[in-house]
Amino acid sequence: MLHFLSKIFKIVGLACLAYNAVASELMFLKEGEAKPVITKADVDTVFISDPEVADYQVIDRQKIVVFGKKMGTTTLMLFDENAKTLVNKQLVINQSFTEITQQVQLHYPHAKVSISNVGEQVVLTGSVASEAEKDGINDLVGELLSKEVEKINYTWVKELAEDEIIDFMTKREYKGIINQLEVQTTKQVNVKISIAEVSQTFMESLGIQYGTGSGGAGVFVNPILDFSADDILTGITALGDDTVGQVLAEPNLSVISGESASFLVGGEIPVVTIVDGGTNVMFKEFGIRLELVAKVLRDNKIKLSLQPEVSSLDTQYANERYSLPALKTRRAKTTIELANGQSFVLGGLLSSEDVETLRKIPLIGDVPILGALFRNTETERNKTELVIVATVNLVKPVSPHMIQLPSIGRTSNLSRLFQIKEPKNSVVTQRANDILATGGFKK
């Protein structure tokens, strides 16, 4: 009984193998494309279910050529003289993209792109060198096929102004095109902004001023009947102030091509207002800020739009109802195109302000020589120089042990007091580097 069942299973298995051998196989053809079909036995009969989609030409007894005529599907079957099925293929005829492929290879000779279709949908597959090539091929195919296009704009959101559209970041999506192109190497851009400001203030005051204690120089507030020489205050002024200040900020930020990034080191200050008996508190950011979007072009040129800003606290305006802080801000916004490793001066400012003041007692102060005892002069000069420089580089990730973090050489109070140099603890430093090399985790 078991021997009989095993024979039955063998017969069923052979039948399944025979069915699989003649089961329909897919053959893909483009309009106007031809492919040979070769058999081991002589062909007696050729059958095509839809001759308007594909047709054939007999070459010899064991070889025929099938060719596509229009988009669609049909079935090709070959039989021998005993009506045994030799070939059973399902022919899928796709649209021909020969001319479009030629244009893609002409404009992008190093790209490996394959164009096919599934019904009305066009599929782009293959690999390209950069995001710029991927977007360029997508636009080229979409325009050549006259597909409906939808623009996706990148918008720079602003708090106190209208949102701004960055033109070079605009992407186009074509209806009916599926872009499956892969970028071989993702390009990353590092941007360093150097903001240097030097300000100089010079003030000089020389002379003699008269007045009363409560009124200040040049103001006499006592009643005339009670006025006496003892009420007059004389101030001799001889001042000279010279102040120089420098602001230097160098924010550094990396971003993938085609993406945006932002950077802020600073804080938030509260702004308190009272409206209709209610208190409102809003927070205003200040410090060193950098916002940018970058895109690497086909020739490795880098196009970026950036907005660096350095702000610091200034005068505070406050009363019973309001508390309004003021910020001193240096800001630039521009769009530039640079090569790898190049620098560019985004903006510069040279501001010079001179103020000269002469205070005197009328009539007496105009008397030559003697009038100098009743005059006071002041000179004030403000000079500011501001330069903003951008430097861009194409960068690649590095291993953790190559990263150097800022550190401080710790010393004791006694060593600083008596200026004794302490040896550096190389064991502690090496241990810290080992932890950083593993991503900051101890193993």
Side-chain angles (χ1 to χ4, degrees), residues 3-157:
H3 181 68
F4 176 74
L5 290 175
S6 64
K7 284 186 176 180
I8 293 178
F9 288 144
K10 288 182 180 179
I11 293 173
V12 173
L14 292 173
C16 292
L17 292 174
Y19 174 77
N20 290 334
V22 298
S24 62
E25 300 177 359
L26 290 176
M27 176 183 284
F28 296 95
L29 294 171
K30 296 178 182 178
E31 294 175 327
E33 183 182 8
K35 288 185 179 180
V37 178
I38 302 174
T39 61
K40 295 181 179 180
D42 293 344
V43 177
D44 182 72
T45 305
V46 179
F47 171 77
I48 286 188
S49 60
D50 191 350
E52 294 184 357
V53 174
D55 209 340
Y56 71 94
Q57 180 70 42
V58 177
I59 304 302
D60 57 31
R61 297 286 294 174
Q62 296 182 354
K63 181 187 294 185
I64 68 169
V65 174
V66 294
F67 54 91
K69 298 175 67 176
K70 72 175 186 178
M71 290 178 57
T73 58
T74 185
T75 301
L76 169 69
M77 302 183 71
L78 305 180
F79 304 92
D80 62 7
E81 58 184 4
N82 297 322
K84 180 181 178 181
T85 303
L86 301 177
V87 174
N88 182 7
K89 291 182 179 291
Q90 185 176 8
L91 306 181
V92 179
I93 314 302
N94 294 319
Q95 182 180 355
S96 176
F97 297 102
T98 303
E99 295 180 354
I100 296 178
T101 302
Q102 181 182 7
Q103 291 297 320
V104 172
Q105 293 177 351
L106 179 64
H107 290 84
Y108 302 91
H110 301 293
K112 299 178 181 179
V113 181
S114 176
I115 306 175
S116 59
N117 75 293
V118 180
E120 298 295 331
Q121 303 292 322
V122 178
V123 182
L124 305 179
T125 56
S127 60
V128 294
S130 64
E131 287 285 343
E133 285 193 2
K134 179 179 179 180
D135 295 338
I137 293 173
N138 182 72
D139 296 344
L140 178 61
V141 174
E143 294 297 333
L144 291 176
L145 293 176
S146 300
K147 295 289 187 178
E148 183 180 347
V149 62
E150 178 184 359
K151 290 185 178 181
I152 301 178
N153 297 322
Y154 177 85
T155 304
W156 212 334
V157 180

Side-chain angles (χ1 to χ4, degrees), residues 71 116 122 164 166 181 309 319 348 399-400:
M71 290 178 57
S116 59
V122 178
E164 182 178 357
I166 308 299
L181 295 175
E309 178 181 315
N319 57 21
S399 56

